[in-house]
Amino acid sequence: MTAMTALTAMTAPRAGRLAIAIVALLALAAPFLLADQPYFLHVLILTMTFAIPAIGLNLLLGYTGLVSLGHMGFAGVGAYTTALLMMDHGWSAVPAMAAGAAAAGVLGVLVGIPCLRLRSHFFIIVTLAVGMILFALFNNLDGITGGAEGLPGVPRPGPLDLGFMVIDFRRLGGFYWFALVVTLFALLVQYLIVRSDFGRSLAAIRQDEILAAARGVNVFAHKLAIFGISTALAGLGGALKVMFLRVAAPLSFELLESINLVLLTIVGGAGYLAGPIIGALVYVAIPEILRFADAWRLVLFGVILVAMTLFAPRGLSGMIEAGWRRLRRGPAVTGEEAADGRPA
Amino acid sequence: MAALLEIRDISKAFGGIQALDGVDVAIDAPGIYGLIGPNGAGKTTLFDVVCGRQVADRGEVRAEGRAVGRLSPDRLARLGFARTFQECRVFPDETCLDNVLFGAQDKRLGVEWRQLLTRGMGARSARRDEAMRLLTLVRLDTYADRPAAALSYGQRRLLEIVSTLIARPRFLLLDEPASGINPTLLNVLHDFLLKMYEERPIVFLVVEHNMPFIMSLASHIVVMHQGRVLTTGSPADIQRDPAVIDAYLG
Ligand SMILES: Nc1ncnc2c1ncn2[C@@H]1O[C@H](COP(=O)(O)OP(=O)(O)OP(=O)(O)O)[C@@H](O)[C@H]1O
Ligand SMILES: [Mg+2]
């Protein structure tokens, strides 16, 4: 896994840790810094609702080498499950979100059992079909999902009394922190998996399935496990999204959104811990802040994507990593020199 | 007592090609066994069947009496079968050290989950010194932190062999380990394999076209020809056998 994650490059040197600490502090303090800029806070939260499913997809795409073109469908399962549990059954936010994530994960496992043994391009088509079917269900099961109108009135979490202060999640600043905690949780899951023996087996599957099996990896079981985790994370992101928008609507979980999720994961840098965050920022935050019309966003994104495949095949995280190395070691550092220059 | 490894009447066809046609091999004791034969004789296919990559049309494989012919590659790996590939396979993005340590890792999902949740060391980390020792023996220690993709073909072969040995297999199947290795490293590899065998006497089954290499390494030779076992014997006997000379040695 060396040289595979932006964080790897950054955790060794002290300057890198400092950079992460500064970003974390800024992220935490955003509601104060942006107190009179509610629109920016709104965009940051929206970014997080994309980043979380992207983290799930990154575990598949970047680390295991599996493509899912229906991931926002699973996000929808988490979203509607959470919304219905809160609205019809009075569940509170955190257990409802956990149940939503679990429902998406269980569905992922059920889809994976018959389909993960298929060869990779058939699996991609199956995920596409599942995404389409799920959208059709959200859109047409009027009695349960409210059809095209969706389910308005999804509640926000109740206030949290910390003793010295009370966080009201119905306000933008409060909900921002809630979203941040959920995002950090997803990042933690990603980090723990990538850095574990389990993550190493996934990386082995990505690089050479036949060799991985010969070395003792149960390829199917590992794929099934990570697909379940990945779809559960998608469900978590979907749940956060409907809680934020206060409505569960099918258009958030249509096929186009699934494809955008794949694109933003690639643009951010598949196989990098920070890739989903960077991708979501580029995909959501920059166009929102520049106030692009929706159509132009896709044009801009398409151009970035083409440029990226030509000049930066490892995504923005890969570019940042390469730039960081160059900064630290002077120009034209090759992989070999980098290995030599590593402190013992 | 049951044989260590018993290959009985194995046949395997690919379309019209009978790659294996009733192969019988019985290995009763640890040792270094050479498997030779002309191109297309079925040596690699036999490895694929024994290690679970292919399922035989007929016949059975027994390891210490247990039928293992229908097991998957990963099950067999966990039962102590380790192999290298004729086309040489390593994990290109990983460093040499990570390639070797992955060989030592316990890949059962449950064990991996426990390691993840407890952030424990895992079998892998505990074997770092051993991994470095083996890399040093094949002169790859200075490449430990380089990605495997940066190695030469011959070095990759050595890395592949080391990555199988670290798992402490009971059956080690090497498919043409000497191919693509320069003459100096060939001696290193020869001595390395002998040393590994002395440290842990297990079953080595080695496919090789390099006759001086295999004849000096192995204590027994199995000759295959057109999907069958032509004959078996000591290296000296095989080199004198007219049928072998006719079919293969020329
Ligand atoms: N997957 C496969 N599909 C079709 N034919 C195959 C396959 N694997 C092997 N064969 C055929 O089976 C026969 C035996 O091949 P095998 O690779 O086992 O020979 P080998 O003894 O290893 O030869 P070499 O010394 O060239 O490696 C060959 O005719 C080969 O073309
Ligand atoms: Mg062969």
Side-chain angles (χ1 to χ4, degrees), chain B residues 141-158:
Chain B
D141 46 324
T142 53
Y143 295 85
D145 289 330
R146 305 261 182 108
L151 298 183
S152 74
Y153 184 74
Q155 288 173 320
R156 249 176 279 169
R157 273 213 173 282
L158 295 171

mmCIF file of all heavy atoms in Angstrom, chain B residues 141-158:
data_model
loop_
_atom_site.group_PDB
_atom_site.id
_atom_site.type_symbol
_atom_site.label_atom_id
_atom_site.label_comp_id
_atom_site.label_asym_id
_atom_site.label_seq_id
_atom_site.Cartn_x
_atom_site.Cartn_y
_atom_site.Cartn_z
ATOM 1 N N ASP B 141 17.418 -7.706 -0.497
ATOM 2 C CA ASP B 141 17.225 -6.879 0.701
ATOM 3 C C ASP B 141 17.306 -5.395 0.392
ATOM 4 O O ASP B 141 16.561 -4.597 0.946
ATOM 5 C CB ASP B 141 18.222 -7.263 1.803
ATOM 6 C CG ASP B 141 19.640 -7.410 1.266
ATOM 7 O OD1 ASP B 141 19.781 -7.881 0.120
ATOM 8 O OD2 ASP B 141 20.595 -7.049 1.968
ATOM 9 N N THR B 142 18.184 -5.007 -0.556
ATOM 10 C CA THR B 142 18.291 -3.579 -0.849
ATOM 11 C C THR B 142 17.085 -3.076 -1.634
ATOM 12 O O THR B 142 16.913 -1.886 -1.818
ATOM 13 C CB THR B 142 19.566 -3.267 -1.656
ATOM 14 O OG1 THR B 142 19.578 -4.113 -2.800
ATOM 15 C CG2 THR B 142 20.804 -3.516 -0.824
ATOM 16 N N TYR B 143 16.251 -4.007 -2.100
ATOM 17 C CA TYR B 143 15.055 -3.608 -2.842
ATOM 18 C C TYR B 143 13.802 -3.685 -1.974
ATOM 19 O O TYR B 143 12.701 -3.534 -2.472
ATOM 20 C CB TYR B 143 14.857 -4.511 -4.068
ATOM 21 C CG TYR B 143 15.953 -4.380 -5.100
ATOM 22 C CD1 TYR B 143 17.129 -5.112 -4.978
ATOM 23 C CD2 TYR B 143 15.809 -3.521 -6.182
ATOM 24 C CE1 TYR B 143 18.144 -4.993 -5.914
ATOM 25 C CE2 TYR B 143 16.809 -3.392 -7.123
ATOM 26 C CZ TYR B 143 17.977 -4.133 -6.992
ATOM 27 O OH TYR B 143 18.969 -4.009 -7.917
ATOM 28 N N ALA B 144 13.984 -3.931 -0.690
ATOM 29 C CA ALA B 144 12.828 -4.222 0.171
ATOM 30 C C ALA B 144 11.740 -3.163 0.069
ATOM 31 O O ALA B 144 10.555 -3.491 0.086
ATOM 32 C CB ALA B 144 13.283 -4.380 1.617
ATOM 33 N N ASP B 145 12.128 -1.890 -0.043
ATOM 34 C CA ASP B 145 11.133 -0.821 -0.054
ATOM 35 C C ASP B 145 10.723 -0.377 -1.449
ATOM 36 O O ASP B 145 9.985 0.592 -1.605
ATOM 37 C CB ASP B 145 11.656 0.395 0.720
ATOM 38 C CG ASP B 145 11.693 0.116 2.212
ATOM 39 O OD1 ASP B 145 10.851 -0.682 2.672
ATOM 40 O OD2 ASP B 145 12.547 0.675 2.905
ATOM 41 N N ARG B 146 11.229 -1.070 -2.467
ATOM 42 C CA ARG B 146 10.843 -0.707 -3.836
ATOM 43 C C ARG B 146 9.579 -1.456 -4.231
ATOM 44 O O ARG B 146 9.396 -2.608 -3.841
ATOM 45 C CB ARG B 146 11.933 -1.108 -4.833
ATOM 46 C CG ARG B 146 13.276 -0.546 -4.513
ATOM 47 C CD ARG B 146 13.556 0.681 -5.350
ATOM 48 N NE ARG B 146 14.887 1.167 -5.039
ATOM 49 C CZ ARG B 146 15.913 1.062 -5.870
ATOM 50 N NH1 ARG B 146 15.744 0.490 -7.047
ATOM 51 N NH2 ARG B 146 17.096 1.524 -5.527
ATOM 52 N N PRO B 147 8.754 -0.843 -5.072
ATOM 53 C CA PRO B 147 7.603 -1.606 -5.586
ATOM 54 C C PRO B 147 8.085 -2.759 -6.458
ATOM 55 O O PRO B 147 9.088 -2.630 -7.166
ATOM 56 C CB PRO B 147 6.820 -0.581 -6.398
ATOM 57 C CG PRO B 147 7.738 0.556 -6.628
ATOM 58 C CD PRO B 147 8.780 0.535 -5.554
ATOM 59 N N ALA B 148 7.358 -3.871 -6.405
ATOM 60 C CA ALA B 148 7.768 -5.058 -7.165
ATOM 61 C C ALA B 148 7.828 -4.765 -8.656
ATOM 62 O O ALA B 148 8.605 -5.376 -9.390
ATOM 63 C CB ALA B 148 6.819 -6.209 -6.876
ATOM 64 N N ALA B 149 7.005 -3.819 -9.110
ATOM 65 C CA ALA B 149 6.990 -3.488 -10.540
ATOM 66 C C ALA B 149 8.348 -2.965 -11.008
ATOM 67 O O ALA B 149 8.653 -3.022 -12.196
ATOM 68 C CB ALA B 149 5.907 -2.442 -10.819
ATOM 69 N N ALA B 150 9.163 -2.469 -10.078
ATOM 70 C CA ALA B 150 10.455 -1.897 -10.471
ATOM 71 C C ALA B 150 11.542 -2.961 -10.615
ATOM 72 O O ALA B 150 12.652 -2.656 -11.021
ATOM 73 C CB ALA B 150 10.887 -0.850 -9.444
ATOM 74 N N LEU B 151 11.226 -4.217 -10.272
ATOM 75 C CA LEU B 151 12.247 -5.272 -10.329
ATOM 76 C C LEU B 151 12.431 -5.793 -11.745
ATOM 77 O O LEU B 151 11.549 -5.684 -12.594
ATOM 78 C CB LEU B 151 11.835 -6.449 -9.433
ATOM 79 C CG LEU B 151 11.688 -6.198 -7.943
ATOM 80 C CD1 LEU B 151 11.340 -7.500 -7.252
ATOM 81 C CD2 LEU B 151 12.962 -5.613 -7.366
ATOM 82 N N SER B 152 13.592 -6.402 -11.979
ATOM 83 C CA SER B 152 13.797 -7.113 -13.243
ATOM 84 C C SER B 152 12.994 -8.414 -13.203
ATOM 85 O O SER B 152 12.542 -8.844 -12.141
ATOM 86 C CB SER B 152 15.276 -7.427 -13.432
ATOM 87 O OG SER B 152 15.649 -8.483 -12.574
ATOM 88 N N TYR B 153 12.848 -9.040 -14.360
ATOM 89 C CA TYR B 153 12.063 -10.269 -14.415
ATOM 90 C C TYR B 153 12.635 -11.341 -13.478
ATOM 91 O O TYR B 153 11.910 -11.981 -12.719
ATOM 92 C CB TYR B 153 12.012 -10.780 -15.854
ATOM 93 C CG TYR B 153 11.149 -11.995 -16.028
ATOM 94 C CD1 TYR B 153 9.768 -11.904 -15.994
ATOM 95 C CD2 TYR B 153 11.739 -13.252 -16.202
ATOM 96 C CE1 TYR B 153 8.982 -13.022 -16.140
ATOM 97 C CE2 TYR B 153 10.951 -14.384 -16.344
ATOM 98 C CZ TYR B 153 9.575 -14.265 -16.319
ATOM 99 O OH TYR B 153 8.805 -15.374 -16.448
ATOM 100 N N GLY B 154 13.947 -11.509 -13.542
ATOM 101 C CA GLY B 154 14.585 -12.516 -12.700
ATOM 102 C C GLY B 154 14.385 -12.222 -11.220
ATOM 103 O O GLY B 154 14.115 -13.129 -10.427
ATOM 104 N N GLN B 155 14.496 -10.948 -10.852
ATOM 105 C CA GLN B 155 14.294 -10.579 -9.452
ATOM 106 C C GLN B 155 12.853 -10.833 -9.025
ATOM 107 O O GLN B 155 12.595 -11.260 -7.898
ATOM 108 C CB GLN B 155 14.630 -9.096 -9.261
ATOM 109 C CG GLN B 155 16.110 -8.808 -9.347
ATOM 110 C CD GLN B 155 16.380 -7.317 -9.317
ATOM 111 O OE1 GLN B 155 15.660 -6.532 -9.926
ATOM 112 N NE2 GLN B 155 17.426 -6.914 -8.612
ATOM 113 N N ARG B 156 11.931 -10.587 -9.944
ATOM 114 C CA ARG B 156 10.528 -10.846 -9.617
ATOM 115 C C ARG B 156 10.305 -12.325 -9.325
ATOM 116 O O ARG B 156 9.554 -12.690 -8.427
ATOM 117 C CB ARG B 156 9.637 -10.383 -10.770
ATOM 118 C CG ARG B 156 8.793 -9.177 -10.403
ATOM 119 C CD ARG B 156 7.995 -8.695 -11.575
ATOM 120 N NE ARG B 156 8.812 -7.865 -12.443
ATOM 121 C CZ ARG B 156 8.448 -7.474 -13.654
ATOM 122 N NH1 ARG B 156 7.296 -7.839 -14.140
ATOM 123 N NH2 ARG B 156 9.246 -6.720 -14.383
ATOM 124 N N ARG B 157 10.969 -13.168 -10.097
ATOM 125 C CA ARG B 157 10.860 -14.612 -9.864
ATOM 126 C C ARG B 157 11.334 -14.977 -8.469
ATOM 127 O O ARG B 157 10.691 -15.734 -7.753
ATOM 128 C CB ARG B 157 11.704 -15.370 -10.884
ATOM 129 C CG ARG B 157 10.964 -15.657 -12.149
ATOM 130 C CD ARG B 157 11.436 -16.992 -12.734
ATOM 131 N NE ARG B 157 10.585 -17.320 -13.848
ATOM 132 C CZ ARG B 157 9.370 -17.814 -13.731
ATOM 133 N NH1 ARG B 157 8.888 -18.096 -12.544
ATOM 134 N NH2 ARG B 157 8.643 -18.052 -14.783
ATOM 135 N N LEU B 158 12.490 -14.407 -8.098
ATOM 136 C CA LEU B 158 13.030 -14.692 -6.767
ATOM 137 C C LEU B 158 12.058 -14.195 -5.699
ATOM 138 O O LEU B 158 11.818 -14.874 -4.696
ATOM 139 C CB LEU B 158 14.398 -14.021 -6.606
ATOM 140 C CG LEU B 158 15.487 -14.566 -7.538
ATOM 141 C CD1 LEU B 158 16.735 -13.697 -7.465
ATOM 142 C CD2 LEU B 158 15.832 -16.010 -7.172
#
